[in-house]
Amino acid sequence: MLFRSHKVIGVDRVYRQRIEPYMDKFYKGDVADIITPEFLQQHSFDAVIHCAGTSLVGPSVHWPDDYYTNNVAKTINLISLLNKYQKHTHFMFSSSASIYKTSNNLLDEDDIKEPQSPYAKTKLMIEHVLEDYRKAHGFKYTAFRYFNACGAVHGGLHGQEPHASHIFPQLFESKAFTLNGTDYKTDDGTCVRDYIHVTDIAIAHVNAMDKLVVGAYNLGSGVGMSNQQIINKVLEKIGKRSILIGPRRQGDPDTLVASISKAKMLLQWTPMNTLTDIVNDLDAWYKSD
């Protein structure tokens, strides 16, 4: 498969047949085992998109060793190998909005960083590493701070793995859903978050590669949606679910929404998918074989 004249090589511990059409070649295994000096002497990469981090907040608290090994040690090793053998490569890193100190205002890239979990700390650590490599070696990188990635590839081609803890899969996959907190300082009392379609995230990566932009960028919709709005929209599509009211989760802010002006200006990128698109694409994904 040629993607804008690029061949696509995938590396992952897990083989998923649905993503096979997107790649020319796939290597099953840990990035730390596959990406070696010998591998980099055989393959030349214009860009490397690194989204292989372990990514659940709760487990990172209980098993921080796994997160610091996988997300920090192995990622630094990969960066060092690319810097040594393929300095021209544009490295794109999947960071997270969880690195920010929570705020009810739109969050921009220069706002205070205050990661609360080992997972979030690993993301900020790698951002620091990347910036140091840029200063010392001219290493080209783009760090994308995802807000709440959701949706599925249009037409039900590929989507979220089952049993994820996020609001959308829980609503689609379960007959009952627990809404945590209805007393937030928002219009309807439920907390407000920023949801960004995975296709818009993919387009941002393409734009960054085309324009060779460096630095850190928020990737969100720039629009807040409350939990109640999400519930209402999903139930319009899939029918009735039992909605239970639970207590607020400790540390949940009222509002967490991205400022995306930097990405709009420098990436020439604007998210195109709405909440309706997100729900429709998820519905198609869950109905696919």
Side-chain angles (χ1 to χ4, degrees):
M1 174 184 177
L2 288 178
F3 180 71
R4 293 202 178 185
S5 300
H6 288 81
K7 291 184 177 180
V8 178
I9 294 176
V11 178
D12 199 341
R13 294 174 182 172
V14 180
Y15 171 72
R16 297 177 176 89
Q17 187 174 4
R18 286 181 180 270
I19 66 172
E20 193 173 81
Y22 298 98
M23 296 177 294
D24 295 276
K25 191 168 182 62
F26 176 78
Y27 293 88
K28 186 176 183 296
D30 194 290
V31 169
D33 299 325
I34 301 295
I35 309 297
T36 62
E38 294 74 22
F39 185 88
L40 293 176
Q41 288 167 358
Q42 296 172 10
H43 304 282
S44 180
F45 298 103
D46 295 309
V48 170
I49 298 174
H50 180 57
C51 47
T54 315
S55 61
L56 295 177
V57 170
S60 79
V61 175
H62 298 290
W63 298 285
D65 47 336
D66 290 344
Y67 280 71
Y68 287 111
T69 297
N70 194 47
N71 292 9
V72 178
K74 292 181 180 181
T75 302
I76 291 174
N77 181 64
L78 175 59
I79 293 167
S80 298
L81 284 172
L82 290 170
N83 184 64
K84 182 175 180 179
Y85 293 100
Q86 294 194 20
K87 191 179 287 288
H88 64 279
T89 300
H90 186 171
F91 187 80
M92 298 189 202
F93 175 63
S94 299
S95 189
S96 169
S98 63
I99 69 172
Y100 288 115
K101 180 179 181 179
T102 57
S103 172
N104 286 341
N105 299 315
L106 290 180
L107 288 163
D108 68 35
E109 287 81 359
D110 295 325
D111 278 332
I112 297 171
K113 315 302 185 296
E114 197 176 90
Q116 295 297 305
S117 67
Y119 161 71
K121 291 174 184 177
T122 66
K123 294 298 185 179
L124 186 56
M125 286 178 183
I126 294 301
E127 285 200 25
H128 288 317
V129 169
L130 288 167
E131 181 59 17
D132 287 342
Y133 267 71
R134 184 193 68 79
K135 292 176 179 177
H137 307 296
F139 191 77
K140 297 192 295 292
Y141 81 92
T142 307
F144 284 123
R145 295 169 184 166
Y146 300 170
F147 276 66
N148 292 279
C150 54
V153 176
H154 185 67
L157 296 176
H158 187 56
Q160 173 73 56
E161 291 296 295
H163 312 307
S165 60
H166 316 303
I167 185 170
F168 284 104
Q170 289 212 8
L171 284 167
F172 271 93
E173 294 175 17
S174 304
K175 293 299 182 183
F177 175 80
T178 300
L179 176 60
N180 294 109
T182 57
D183 59 348
Y184 290 91
K185 295 177 182 178
T186 60
D187 289 343
D188 62 22
T190 65
C191 61
V192 170
R193 296 293 181 267
D194 188 330
Y195 296 92
I196 178 71
H197 196 291
V198 289
T199 299
D200 288 318
I201 290 176
I203 292 169
H205 285 73
V206 174
N207 286 13
M209 183 168 62
D210 287 347
K211 300 178 186 308
L212 297 177
V213 296
V214 298
Y217 295 82
N218 287 340
L219 287 188
S221 68
V223 177
M225 291 286 174
S226 74
N227 280 348
Q228 189 63 60
Q229 287 176 298
I230 300 296
I231 291 168
N232 293 344
K233 180 60 73 172
V234 173
L235 296 192
E236 284 177 13
K237 191 71 180 180
I238 65 174
K240 188 176 180 180
R241 293 287 190 272
S242 295
I243 306 300
L244 311 176
I245 306 300
R248 292 175 62 150
R249 296 183 302 186
Q250 184 177 5
D252 263 353
D254 300 307
T255 303
L256 203 62
V257 181
S259 166
I260 56 173
S261 57
K262 183 179 178 183
K264 283 184 174 181
M265 179 175 62
L266 297 181
L267 292 175
Q268 296 180 17
W269 169 86
T270 299
M272 302 300 293
N273 289 278
T274 65
L275 177 58
T276 298
D277 297 319
I278 289 168
V279 172
N280 287 343
D281 288 340
L282 280 169
D283 187 57
W285 162 243
Y286 280 107
K287 289 177 178 175
S288 65
D289 293 331

Short mmCIF file of all heavy atoms in Angstrom, two decimals, residues 98-132:
data_model
loop_
_atom_site.label_atom_id
_atom_site.label_comp_id
_atom_site.label_asym_id
_atom_site.label_seq_id
_atom_site.Cartn_x
_atom_site.Cartn_y
_atom_site.Cartn_z
N SER A 98 -3.35 14.51 29.60
CA SER A 98 -3.26 14.25 31.04
C SER A 98 -2.02 14.87 31.67
O SER A 98 -1.88 14.88 32.90
CB SER A 98 -3.28 12.74 31.31
OG SER A 98 -2.15 12.11 30.74
N ILE A 99 -1.11 15.40 30.86
CA ILE A 99 0.07 16.05 31.44
C ILE A 99 -0.26 17.42 32.03
O ILE A 99 0.50 17.96 32.83
CB ILE A 99 1.20 16.20 30.40
CG1 ILE A 99 0.82 17.23 29.32
CG2 ILE A 99 1.57 14.86 29.79
CD1 ILE A 99 1.96 17.56 28.38
N TYR A 100 -1.42 18.00 31.67
CA TYR A 100 -1.75 19.34 32.11
C TYR A 100 -2.31 19.36 33.53
O TYR A 100 -2.95 18.40 33.98
CB TYR A 100 -2.82 19.96 31.19
CG TYR A 100 -2.34 20.34 29.83
CD1 TYR A 100 -2.84 19.68 28.70
CD2 TYR A 100 -1.42 21.35 29.64
CE1 TYR A 100 -2.43 20.04 27.42
CE2 TYR A 100 -1.00 21.71 28.37
CZ TYR A 100 -1.50 21.05 27.27
OH TYR A 100 -1.08 21.41 26.01
N LYS A 101 -2.09 20.50 34.21
CA LYS A 101 -2.84 20.78 35.42
C LYS A 101 -4.28 21.07 34.99
O LYS A 101 -4.52 21.81 34.05
CB LYS A 101 -2.27 22.01 36.13
CG LYS A 101 -3.01 22.37 37.42
CD LYS A 101 -2.37 23.58 38.10
CE LYS A 101 -3.12 23.91 39.39
NZ LYS A 101 -2.51 25.07 40.09
N THR A 102 -5.23 20.45 35.65
CA THR A 102 -6.61 20.59 35.24
C THR A 102 -7.09 22.04 35.38
O THR A 102 -6.65 22.78 36.25
CB THR A 102 -7.54 19.68 36.07
OG1 THR A 102 -7.38 19.98 37.46
CG2 THR A 102 -7.21 18.23 35.82
N SER A 103 -7.98 22.42 34.48
CA SER A 103 -8.44 23.79 34.43
C SER A 103 -9.82 23.85 33.79
O SER A 103 -10.17 23.01 32.96
CB SER A 103 -7.47 24.64 33.60
OG SER A 103 -7.98 25.93 33.37
N ASN A 104 -10.60 24.84 34.19
CA ASN A 104 -11.90 25.05 33.55
C ASN A 104 -11.80 25.97 32.35
O ASN A 104 -12.80 26.25 31.69
CB ASN A 104 -12.90 25.62 34.56
CG ASN A 104 -13.37 24.57 35.56
OD1 ASN A 104 -13.24 23.37 35.31
ND2 ASN A 104 -13.89 25.01 36.68
N ASN A 105 -10.60 26.47 32.06
CA ASN A 105 -10.37 27.29 30.87
C ASN A 105 -9.83 26.41 29.75
O ASN A 105 -9.33 25.31 29.99
CB ASN A 105 -9.37 28.41 31.18
CG ASN A 105 -9.88 29.33 32.27
OD1 ASN A 105 -11.03 29.74 32.27
ND2 ASN A 105 -9.01 29.65 33.22
N LEU A 106 -9.92 26.91 28.51
CA LEU A 106 -9.28 26.19 27.41
C LEU A 106 -7.80 26.03 27.69
O LEU A 106 -7.13 26.99 28.08
CB LEU A 106 -9.49 26.95 26.09
CG LEU A 106 -10.89 26.99 25.50
CD1 LEU A 106 -10.88 27.80 24.21
CD2 LEU A 106 -11.44 25.59 25.26
N LEU A 107 -7.29 24.83 27.48
CA LEU A 107 -5.89 24.55 27.75
C LEU A 107 -5.06 24.75 26.49
O LEU A 107 -5.35 24.15 25.45
CB LEU A 107 -5.74 23.10 28.23
CG LEU A 107 -6.26 22.82 29.64
CD1 LEU A 107 -6.45 21.32 29.84
CD2 LEU A 107 -5.32 23.38 30.69
N ASP A 108 -4.02 25.60 26.57
CA ASP A 108 -3.11 25.71 25.44
C ASP A 108 -1.77 25.09 25.80
O ASP A 108 -1.52 24.70 26.94
CB ASP A 108 -2.98 27.16 24.94
CG ASP A 108 -2.27 28.08 25.92
OD1 ASP A 108 -1.33 27.62 26.61
OD2 ASP A 108 -2.64 29.27 25.98
N GLU A 109 -0.91 24.99 24.81
CA GLU A 109 0.32 24.20 24.95
C GLU A 109 1.27 24.73 26.02
O GLU A 109 2.12 23.98 26.53
CB GLU A 109 1.03 24.12 23.60
CG GLU A 109 0.36 23.21 22.59
CD GLU A 109 -0.82 23.83 21.86
OE1 GLU A 109 -1.16 25.01 22.17
OE2 GLU A 109 -1.40 23.17 20.98
N ASP A 110 1.16 26.00 26.37
CA ASP A 110 2.06 26.58 27.36
C ASP A 110 1.50 26.55 28.78
O ASP A 110 2.14 27.04 29.71
CB ASP A 110 2.39 28.04 26.99
CG ASP A 110 3.18 28.13 25.70
OD1 ASP A 110 4.01 27.23 25.45
OD2 ASP A 110 2.98 29.09 24.94
N ASP A 111 0.31 25.99 28.97
CA ASP A 111 -0.27 25.95 30.30
C ASP A 111 0.52 25.03 31.23
O ASP A 111 1.34 24.21 30.79
CB ASP A 111 -1.74 25.52 30.23
CG ASP A 111 -2.66 26.67 29.87
OD1 ASP A 111 -2.31 27.83 30.18
OD2 ASP A 111 -3.73 26.44 29.28
N ILE A 112 0.25 25.17 32.52
CA ILE A 112 1.00 24.45 33.55
C ILE A 112 0.85 22.94 33.38
O ILE A 112 -0.24 22.42 33.14
CB ILE A 112 0.52 24.87 34.95
CG1 ILE A 112 0.77 26.36 35.18
CG2 ILE A 112 1.21 24.04 36.03
CD1 ILE A 112 0.14 26.90 36.43
N LYS A 113 1.97 22.23 33.51
CA LYS A 113 1.97 20.77 33.43
C LYS A 113 1.99 20.20 34.86
O LYS A 113 2.83 20.58 35.66
CB LYS A 113 3.19 20.26 32.66
CG LYS A 113 3.49 21.00 31.35
CD LYS A 113 2.36 20.98 30.38
CE LYS A 113 2.73 21.61 29.05
NZ LYS A 113 3.03 23.06 29.14
N GLU A 114 1.08 19.31 35.13
CA GLU A 114 1.00 18.72 36.47
C GLU A 114 0.42 17.31 36.37
O GLU A 114 -0.71 17.05 36.79
CB GLU A 114 0.13 19.59 37.39
CG GLU A 114 0.29 19.32 38.87
CD GLU A 114 -0.52 20.30 39.70
OE1 GLU A 114 -1.69 20.01 40.00
OE2 GLU A 114 0.03 21.37 40.04
N PRO A 115 1.17 16.38 35.79
CA PRO A 115 0.65 15.01 35.61
C PRO A 115 0.38 14.35 36.95
O PRO A 115 1.18 14.45 37.88
CB PRO A 115 1.77 14.32 34.84
CG PRO A 115 3.00 15.12 35.13
CD PRO A 115 2.55 16.53 35.31
N GLN A 116 -0.75 13.64 37.02
CA GLN A 116 -1.19 13.06 38.28
C GLN A 116 -0.98 11.56 38.39
O GLN A 116 -1.15 10.99 39.46
CB GLN A 116 -2.67 13.38 38.49
CG GLN A 116 -2.97 14.86 38.64
CD GLN A 116 -2.32 15.44 39.88
OE1 GLN A 116 -2.52 14.97 41.00
NE2 GLN A 116 -1.52 16.48 39.68
N SER A 117 -0.63 10.89 37.32
CA SER A 117 -0.46 9.44 37.33
C SER A 117 0.89 9.07 36.73
O SER A 117 1.47 9.84 35.96
CB SER A 117 -1.57 8.77 36.52
OG SER A 117 -1.44 9.10 35.15
N PRO A 118 1.40 7.88 37.05
CA PRO A 118 2.62 7.43 36.37
C PRO A 118 2.48 7.45 34.85
O PRO A 118 3.43 7.82 34.15
CB PRO A 118 2.80 6.01 36.90
CG PRO A 118 2.21 6.06 38.26
CD PRO A 118 1.01 6.96 38.14
N TYR A 119 1.31 7.07 34.33
CA TYR A 119 1.09 7.13 32.88
C TYR A 119 1.35 8.54 32.36
O TYR A 119 2.09 8.74 31.40
CB TYR A 119 -0.33 6.70 32.54
CG TYR A 119 -0.78 7.16 31.19
CD1 TYR A 119 -0.25 6.59 30.03
CD2 TYR A 119 -1.73 8.19 31.05
CE1 TYR A 119 -0.65 7.03 28.77
CE2 TYR A 119 -2.13 8.63 29.80
CZ TYR A 119 -1.59 8.05 28.66
OH TYR A 119 -1.98 8.50 27.42
N ALA A 120 0.71 9.54 32.95
CA ALA A 120 0.86 10.92 32.49
C ALA A 120 2.31 11.40 32.66
O ALA A 120 2.83 12.12 31.80
CB ALA A 120 -0.09 11.82 33.26
N LYS A 121 2.94 10.99 33.74
CA LYS A 121 4.34 11.38 33.97
C LYS A 121 5.25 10.83 32.87
O LYS A 121 6.18 11.52 32.43
CB LYS A 121 4.80 10.91 35.34
CG LYS A 121 4.14 11.65 36.49
CD LYS A 121 4.51 11.03 37.84
CE LYS A 121 3.77 11.71 38.98
NZ LYS A 121 4.06 11.08 40.29
N THR A 122 4.97 9.61 32.41
CA THR A 122 5.81 9.05 31.35
C THR A 122 5.70 9.85 30.06
O THR A 122 6.67 10.02 29.33
CB THR A 122 5.45 7.58 31.05
OG1 THR A 122 4.14 7.47 30.50
CG2 THR A 122 5.57 6.71 32.30
N LYS A 123 4.50 10.36 29.78
CA LYS A 123 4.30 11.16 28.56
C LYS A 123 5.08 12.47 28.64
O LYS A 123 5.74 12.87 27.66
CB LYS A 123 2.81 11.44 28.35
CG LYS A 123 1.98 10.22 28.04
CD LYS A 123 2.42 9.56 26.74
CE LYS A 123 1.53 8.41 26.35
NZ LYS A 123 1.96 7.77 25.08
N LEU A 124 5.02 13.12 29.77
CA LEU A 124 5.76 14.39 29.92
C LEU A 124 7.26 14.15 29.90
O LEU A 124 8.02 14.95 29.34
CB LEU A 124 5.33 15.09 31.20
CG LEU A 124 5.90 16.49 31.41
CD1 LEU A 124 5.56 17.42 30.24
CD2 LEU A 124 5.40 17.08 32.72
N MET A 125 7.70 13.06 30.50
CA MET A 125 9.14 12.74 30.49
C MET A 125 9.66 12.62 29.06
O MET A 125 10.71 13.17 28.72
CB MET A 125 9.40 11.43 31.24
CG MET A 125 9.31 11.53 32.74
SD MET A 125 9.58 9.91 33.50
CE MET A 125 9.31 10.32 35.23
N ILE A 126 8.92 11.91 28.21
CA ILE A 126 9.37 11.74 26.83
C ILE A 126 9.33 13.05 26.07
O ILE A 126 10.21 13.32 25.23
CB ILE A 126 8.56 10.64 26.11
CG1 ILE A 126 8.83 9.28 26.76
CG2 ILE A 126 8.90 10.59 24.63
CD1 ILE A 126 10.29 8.85 26.74
N GLU A 127 8.37 13.90 26.35
CA GLU A 127 8.38 15.23 25.72
C GLU A 127 9.66 15.99 26.08
O GLU A 127 10.26 16.65 25.22
CB GLU A 127 7.15 16.03 26.13
CG GLU A 127 5.86 15.59 25.45
CD GLU A 127 4.79 16.67 25.49
OE1 GLU A 127 5.15 17.86 25.60
OE2 GLU A 127 3.61 16.32 25.40
N HIS A 128 10.08 15.91 27.34
CA HIS A 128 11.33 16.56 27.75
C HIS A 128 12.53 15.95 27.01
O HIS A 128 13.43 16.66 26.56
CB HIS A 128 11.53 16.44 29.26
CG HIS A 128 10.60 17.28 30.08
ND1 HIS A 128 10.29 18.59 29.76
CD2 HIS A 128 9.91 17.00 31.21
CE1 HIS A 128 9.46 19.08 30.66
NE2 HIS A 128 9.20 18.14 31.55
N VAL A 129 12.54 14.62 26.90
CA VAL A 129 13.63 13.94 26.20
C VAL A 129 13.69 14.41 24.75
O VAL A 129 14.78 14.72 24.22
CB VAL A 129 13.43 12.40 26.27
CG1 VAL A 129 14.40 11.70 25.32
CG2 VAL A 129 13.61 11.91 27.69
N LEU A 130 12.55 14.46 24.10
CA LEU A 130 12.51 14.87 22.69
C LEU A 130 13.02 16.29 22.51
O LEU A 130 13.78 16.58 21.56
CB LEU A 130 11.09 14.74 22.15
CG LEU A 130 10.59 13.32 21.94
CD1 LEU A 130 9.08 13.31 21.69
CD2 LEU A 130 11.32 12.66 20.77
N GLU A 131 12.62 17.19 23.39
CA GLU A 131 13.07 18.57 23.26
C GLU A 131 14.58 18.67 23.50
O GLU A 131 15.28 19.44 22.82
CB GLU A 131 12.31 19.47 24.24
CG GLU A 131 12.67 20.93 24.19
CD GLU A 131 12.45 21.59 22.82
OE1 GLU A 131 11.71 21.00 21.98
OE2 GLU A 131 13.02 22.66 22.59
N ASP A 132 15.11 17.89 24.43
CA ASP A 132 16.56 17.89 24.67
C ASP A 132 17.32 17.33 23.47
O ASP A 132 18.39 17.84 23.10
CB ASP A 132 16.89 17.07 25.92
CG ASP A 132 16.48 17.79 27.21
OD1 ASP A 132 16.28 19.02 27.16
OD2 ASP A 132 16.37 17.12 28.25
#
